[in-house]
Amino acid sequence: MHRRIFVLGGLGGLSGLGAAAGPRSSGPAYPFSMGVASGEPAPDSVVLWTRLAPFPLAEDGHGGMSSADITVEWQVSATPSFARPVARGTSTARFADAHTVHAVAGGLAPDAEYYYRFRAQGHHSPTGSTRTAPAPGASARDLVVLAASCANLEAGHFTAYRRMAEERPGLILHLGDYIYEGAGKPGHVREHLGPEIVTLAGYRRRYGQYKSDPDLRAAHACAPWLAVPDDHDVEDDFAGTHRLDDRPPLTPAQWRIRRDAAYRAYREHLPLRPGSRLHRRVGWGRLATFHMLDTRQFRDPQACGGGYRACPGADRPARSLPGRAQEAWLLDGLAQHRATWDLIGQQVFFAEQVNAAGVANMDAWDGYRASRDRLQRGWVERRVRNPVVLTGDVHTAWANDLKADYADPASRTIGTELVCTSITSRGDGSRVTRIPTGAVNPHLRFYSDRRGYLRSTLTPAEITADFRAIDAVSTPGAPVRTLRSFKIQNGRPGII
């Protein structure tokens, strides 16, 4: 059976395995309502995820499960029939972890495609499709990578996730704002359940609401993910231990509890390796290295109180967006020259974007200019051949040249930034493609206000970047189309 038909067809219902795996008429309720996911591909292993939650919207955050821990079986197979599994095991879905499972399936072949599924309480899960990374130093097949961010359930339907699943990618990068933390607001396309979330139970329930969406489940089931959180996964525009907005009012101790709860729930619900850091490196043979950054937990507070400002404080040398330790970690990784392409997955706008009066977004890298300069100079000094920054956050699509000196339009181009738009945030958007502040920022090369995602096809010779757009998210089922395509050639930074 065709891989896409099997994986996506099964997601139309709950089981994905036919009548034998469907919900039963008696016994425990079907526990796999939130689907399956995989992530963190290595040459010999991949992380398999699921959560047992027959009622994912339960207010206590436990998805309708009892306090008992449950044994969950998992299987990995080279074929969708599972006639001869290549790996299998059991994991314990613990009440303390909201009955989530992060099984590390090992002993797999490098650069290979697999199917996987779970079994618990007499039920089979949907079937997912995943793949492993090539071995270090090995040549690799061309790789299709999709990048997405900013999926506000209230702003629209997750059609873009469905279209991503239909692409049959090799890897999906999620660059932040997997959920939104705000209270439910009547009058939106859809409505969040409950008030703004500040408790662990609230975050778990919000993930339950998001993962109840079949389009999101389809995107998870089609390919392995690499995910990093941004602000709305915790609270809008927070920086390190600092809150910009004191609504709802919280004491410092209450804020720490909320922050810890948000990160705990994120780790529970994304297919991350147990115990791994959020900033991490994933190799893809000689083709690519993915450097995934955490640009929230370790940053200094936004200069001048945040927002869009002309702020001299943004130039202070001591300020860092990822934190000095993570800056050093990134440059050390870039200096290893392990692959043709060094892809930096991160959350906020990297290239300079200021108007004639010097007004810029203090929450982006423009609010941490010395930090950006250290990284750019660092990769030039280390002779990094193909640095490509992949960005989310801003709810619009961009393609940018990164310059050695942004004040000089003739300055050398030393890298490339590709900014995926949002899945839904900002709603339907518009047909506007005029680049905001383009007259004073000639290195900004493309802009779109549509929702969608970024598709990048990696080969040893070039990256082809396609900006994929959904015409509307206010109604479900819209088609996807390519607005513009660009190329980045090996050894030639910048887009053409």
Side-chain angles (χ1 to χ4, degrees):
M1 186 179 294
H2 193 284
R3 174 175 176 266
R4 182 172 69 180
I5 294 173
F6 184 85
V7 174
L8 297 183
L11 289 169
L14 288 174
S15 72
L17 293 172
R24 303 184 316 183
S25 59
S26 62
Y30 186 75
F32 296 108
S33 63
M34 295 168 70
V36 299
S38 69
E40 308 298 308
D44 62 350
S45 66
V46 68
V47 175
L48 308 178
W49 177 94
T50 194
R51 178 183 170 191
L52 306 183
F55 304 105
L57 306 184
E59 291 188 19
D60 67 356
H62 281 285
M65 295 292 291
S66 74
S67 60
D69 296 342
I70 305 294
T71 298
V72 179
E73 302 171 67
W74 54 266
Q75 293 178 319
V76 179
S77 174
T79 63
S81 69
F82 289 90
R84 300 180 67 179
V86 299
R88 59 176 54 188
T90 60
S91 297
T92 301
R94 301 187 186 280
F95 176 79
D97 301 324
H99 290 98
T100 56
V101 173
H102 295 76
V104 180
L108 306 180
D111 200 13
E113 297 186 5
Y114 292 101
Y115 300 89
Y116 64 95
R117 65 182 179 181
F118 298 88
R119 180 179 175 87
Q121 298 182 315
H123 296 281
H124 279 102
S125 74
T127 294
S129 178
T130 191
R131 68 181 292 180
T132 52
S139 59
R141 295 174 283 164
D142 297 352
L143 176 67
V144 175
V145 181
L146 305 183
S149 69
C150 303
N152 187 341
L153 181 139
E154 292 200 317
H157 296 275
F158 288 166
T159 308
Y161 280 140
R162 175 65 61 171
R163 302 295 171 248
M164 290 169 66
E166 293 167 351
E167 299 266 12
R168 300 178 62 201
L171 187 65
I172 290 177
L173 270 57
H174 199 285
L175 300 175
D177 295 345
Y178 183 93
I179 63 167
Y180 275 65
E181 81 287 14
K185 298 176 183 177
H188 287 252
V189 176
R190 299 191 284 182
E191 186 175 339
H192 283 146
L193 295 175
E196 180 163 336
I197 45 178
V198 296
T199 66
L200 180 58
Y203 282 103
R204 286 170 168 172
R205 187 189 192 204
R206 187 62 54 88
Y207 281 100
Q209 184 177 13
Y210 274 59
K211 285 177 176 287
S212 295
D213 185 283
D215 295 337
L216 174 55
R217 296 201 306 271
H220 270 302
C222 77
W225 282 40
L226 296 177
V228 281
D230 197 14
D231 54 339
H232 287 289
D233 299 296
V234 182
E235 179 187 86
D236 187 23
D237 284 348
F238 86 95
T241 60
H242 177 73
R243 302 177 73 203
L244 275 183
D245 185 355
D246 193 35
R247 292 177 295 177
L250 297 175
T251 67
Q254 289 171 329
W255 161 236
R256 286 193 298 271
I257 292 171
R258 177 187 183 182
R259 185 174 177 271
D260 290 347
Y263 278 108
R264 177 172 178 172
Y266 184 88
R267 288 182 176 278
E268 288 174 345
H269 288 86
L270 274 294
L272 302 170
R273 284 187 182 264
S276 68
R277 298 183 304 189
L278 291 176
H279 65 280
R280 61 210 189 274
R281 225 178 319 274
V282 174
W284 205 268
R286 289 205 305 265
L287 183 63
T289 302
F290 296 91
H291 310 264
M292 307 300 288
L293 298 189
D294 176 356
T295 63
R296 285 291 165 188
Q297 288 197 82
F298 308 110
R299 66 158 71 188
D300 291 302
Q302 293 90 341
C304 296
Y308 285 79
R309 303 179 187 278
C311 178
D315 292 313
R316 290 206 306 270
R319 291 172 48 75
S320 178
L321 192 146
R324 286 300 190 102
Q326 196 175 170
E327 287 183 17
W329 170 86
L330 175 59
L331 291 176
D332 286 346
L334 292 172
Q336 294 171 16
H337 304 288
R338 291 183 176 178
T340 299
W341 303 100
D342 282 290
L343 297 147
I344 303 169
Q346 60 94 49
Q347 293 76 25
V348 294
F349 207 88
F350 191 85
E352 181 173 276
Q353 184 190 181
V354 298
N355 66 15
V359 172
N361 182 5
M362 293 298 100
D363 190 56
W365 288 85
D366 277 328
Y368 303 80
R369 293 179 192 128
S371 184
R372 177 177 60 200
D373 186 57
R374 283 191 294 271
L375 292 182
Q376 291 197 163
R377 284 188 293 104
W379 75 52
V380 170
E381 292 166 357
R382 289 159 178 79
R383 299 182 180 181
V384 180
R385 186 174 176 86
N386 296 304
V388 179
V389 179
L390 300 176
T391 300
D393 183 60
V394 295
H395 309 164
T396 45
W398 300 74
N400 307 321
D401 291 338
L402 302 177
K403 309 294 284 187
D405 180 1
Y406 292 102
D408 177 9
S411 176
R412 183 160 62 109
T413 297
I414 58 171
T416 313
E417 180 179 24
L418 302 172
V419 184
C420 65
T421 186
S422 64
I423 294 292
T424 57
S425 298
R426 285 173 60 104
D428 287 340
S430 68
R431 296 181 180 179
V432 172
T433 57
R434 180 180 59 83
I435 299 174
T437 67
V440 291
N441 297 282
H443 55 280
L444 307 180
R445 304 281 302 280
F446 169 75
Y447 168 84
S448 167
D449 186 33
R450 288 296 194 196
R451 310 290 74 80
Y453 53 92
L454 172 71
R455 181 179 65 196
S456 297
T457 303
L458 280 59
T459 76
E462 64 186 17
I463 293 177
T464 301
D466 303 314
F467 288 91
R468 303 280 278 164
I470 304 292
D471 285 344
V473 295
S474 55
T475 55
V480 66
R481 57 194 175 90
T482 298
L483 294 179
R484 287 283 300 276
S485 295
F486 296 94
K487 291 188 181 297
I488 308 168
Q489 295 182 336
N490 183 356
R492 182 182 172 182
I495 61 171
I496 55 175

